[in-house]
């Protein structure tokens, strides 16, 4: 396999994990790292810690990982695109739709691979779920509901819970259903004293008619990462914390209990918990991006998909702002 020279810019919480995985993946060689604030986690090893994206480019890299704060994604991404460097940008793609649009155009104009790090797509439970949905195991899809809750993460300073966490759910929902959002509505609140929202309850509809529901916050003392897909033949429940996938089938056995039999709907059937291979999502993400750079068929989160997700997130925030001033029913 051709070995690709990789540069990493941003050595914070996510940057340290990218550095580790790049060193583990076949066909990749980490040759340069950069961060204007230094190397707080000591991931550089024998490599010098460069200060700018220009220095990173001068190291002669084939591809890069951009793990800088969201506000810097556009500046760093445009520099890498201008230099012809294939780049994986951490999510969200940019701080605004306008900035994301400029990034999409820059990478498309240069004919190079750009991807966005919506890592949840590569969770083993969701990978298995997507394959089973594609195979028709659920029949028609009715609803996709997610819950992503937990304590406040110290790593986040420049965006709220919608762009930090809800973008995961927006992306994975559109990807699972293979359909983009056509409408969203949301309520948000700010309880932690920060300038950004820290809790959101959102609903939406996809182009294929699937309805969606998302509960996201970083105000909960427990950590929860669930995706529930309900369809014609039952429901899948993916727990992405444990990478477990369970199928709850619609019942087919007639009941003789009159008060229950009168209910005209589905009933409980067999429950199946699948045994699936549990590979690290970040490793899978890097392998897919490597293959895309090499010109192989690979399921990456494209820049355009990242932009679609960001646009949906901003629309969600807009509806929340509008609803805050509406009259109660």
């Amino acid at each position: 396999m051709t070995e690709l020279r990789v540069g990493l810019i941003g050595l914070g919480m996510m940057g340290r994990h990218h550095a580790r995985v790049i060193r583990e993946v076949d066909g990749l060689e980490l040759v340069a790292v950069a961060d204007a604030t230094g190397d707080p986690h000591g991931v550089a090893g024998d490599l010098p810690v460069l200060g700018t994206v220009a220095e990173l480019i001068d190291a002669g890299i084939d591809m890069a990982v951009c793990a800088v704060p969201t506000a810097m994604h556009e500046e760093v991404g445009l520099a890498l695109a201008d230099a012809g460097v294939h780049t994986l940008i951490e999510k969200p793609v940019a701080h605004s739709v306008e900035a994301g649009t400029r990034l999409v155009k820059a990478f498309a104009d240069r004919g190079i691979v750009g991807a966005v790090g919506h890592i949840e797509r590569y969770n083993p439970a969701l990978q298995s779920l997507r394959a089973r949905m594609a195979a028709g195991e659920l029949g028609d899809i009715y609803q996709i509901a997610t819950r992503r809750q937990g304590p406040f993460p110290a790593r986040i300073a420049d965006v709220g819970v919608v762009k930090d966490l809800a973008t995961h759910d927006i992306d994975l929902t559109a990807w699972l259903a293979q359909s983009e959002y056509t409408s969203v509505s949301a309520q948000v609140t700010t309880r932690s004293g920060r300038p950004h929202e820290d809790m959101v309850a959102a609903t939406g509809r996809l182009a294929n008619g699937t309805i969606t529901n998302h509960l996201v916050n970083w105000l909960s003392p427990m950590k929860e990462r669930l995706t529930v897909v309900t369809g014609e033949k039952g429901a899948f429940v993916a727990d992405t914390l444990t990478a477990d996938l369970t199928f709850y089938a619609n019942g087919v056995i007639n009941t003789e209990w009159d008060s229950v039999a009168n209910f005209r709907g589905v009933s409980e059937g067999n429950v199946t918990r699948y045994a699936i291979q549990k590979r690290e999502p970040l490793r899978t993400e890097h392998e897919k991006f490597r293959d895309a750079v090499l010109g192989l068929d690979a399921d990456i989160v494209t820049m355009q998909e990242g932009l679609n997700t960001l646009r949906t997130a901003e629309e969600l925030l807009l509806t929340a702002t509008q609803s805050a001033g509406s009259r109660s029913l």
Side-chain angles (χ1 to χ4, degrees):
M1 178 179 291
T2 302
E3 192 159 86
L4 298 168
R5 292 172 57 84
V6 185
L8 168 64
I9 182 164
L11 303 180
M13 294 294 285
M14 275 305 297
R16 64 174 178 170
H17 294 300
H18 281 293
R20 170 181 57 81
V21 172
I22 291 167
R23 288 182 168 120
E24 294 173 352
V25 172
D26 291 339
L28 301 182
E29 180 186 5
L30 184 62
V31 299
V33 298
D35 194 314
T37 64
D39 182 15
H41 304 290
V43 302
D46 296 333
L47 298 173
V49 180
L50 307 175
T52 67
V53 65
E55 293 177 87
L56 194 75
I57 292 167
D58 288 343
I61 56 177
D62 303 307
M63 56 179 275
V65 175
C66 173
V68 298
T70 304
M72 299 173 62
H73 285 188
E74 180 186 14
E75 176 187 352
V76 171
L78 289 178
L80 290 165
D82 186 59
V85 178
H86 307 286
T87 304
L88 170 64
I89 297 179
E90 264 302 333
K91 59 81 194 166
V93 62
H95 66 281
S96 69
V97 167
E98 292 75 19
T101 300
R102 289 188 285 270
L103 282 170
V104 169
K105 184 177 186 303
F107 280 85
D109 287 350
R110 289 303 304 269
I112 55 179
V113 180
V116 185
H118 286 289
I119 193 172
E120 281 286 75
R121 276 201 199 184
Y122 304 105
N123 188 284
L126 293 177
Q127 289 276 306
S128 179
L129 172 54
R130 171 71 197 115
R132 293 177 185 281
M133 290 171 64
E137 293 185 20
L138 200 53
D140 289 340
I141 308 302
Y142 300 156
Q143 181 187 54
I144 300 177
T146 67
R147 299 201 304 271
R148 186 176 301 273
Q149 306 178 96
F152 180 78
R155 61 184 173 79
I156 296 300
D158 58 345
V159 294
V161 74
V162 170
K163 288 187 178 179
D164 177 52
L165 289 185
T167 48
H168 280 308
D169 297 300
I170 293 168
D171 174 74
L172 71 86
T173 296
W175 171 69
L176 284 173
Q178 294 292 286
S179 184
E180 293 294 336
Y181 284 79
T182 57
S183 64
V184 289
S185 179
Q187 297 286 337
V188 300
T189 189
T190 303
R191 301 290 183 174
S192 61
R194 299 171 65 255
H196 304 291
E197 80 288 344
D198 42 37
M199 177 177 282
V200 60
T203 60
R205 181 178 293 272
L206 306 182
N208 66 3
T210 301
I211 60 174
T212 71
N213 177 273
H214 309 299
L215 294 177
V216 188
N217 75 69
W218 50 42
L219 295 177
S220 297
M222 79 290 187
K223 195 170 184 179
E224 184 179 42
R225 301 284 187 271
L226 288 180
T227 299
V228 181
V229 182
T230 304
E232 179 185 7
K233 300 179 182 179
F236 280 107
V237 178
D239 185 332
T240 54
L241 279 179
T242 59
D244 288 325
L245 180 64
T246 304
F247 178 57
Y248 294 81
N250 291 344
V252 295
I253 300 175
N254 293 328
T255 179
E256 297 180 1
W257 184 6
D258 290 342
S259 62
V260 175
N262 289 334
F263 172 70
R264 301 178 67 84
V266 301
S267 59
E268 294 181 18
N270 293 329
V271 178
T272 305
R273 179 176 171 182
Y274 296 101
I276 55 179
Q277 185 181 18
K278 298 183 178 181
R279 304 186 74 244
E280 182 182 3
L282 189 60
R283 185 183 182 94
T284 301
E285 181 179 64
H286 274 283
E287 290 172 347
K288 297 291 186 183
F289 185 62
R290 173 203 64 195
D291 292 349
V293 170
L294 293 174
L296 305 175
D297 186 24
D299 180 19
I300 63 171
V301 184
T302 66
M303 286 280 191
Q304 185 60 56
E305 288 175 315
L307 179 59
N308 292 346
T309 292
L310 179 59
R311 182 177 288 111
T312 300
E314 291 202 351
E315 184 64 26
L316 188 155
L317 285 169
L318 180 61
T319 67
T321 301
Q322 292 172 340
S323 64
S326 63
R327 295 176 61 184
S328 299
L329 296 177

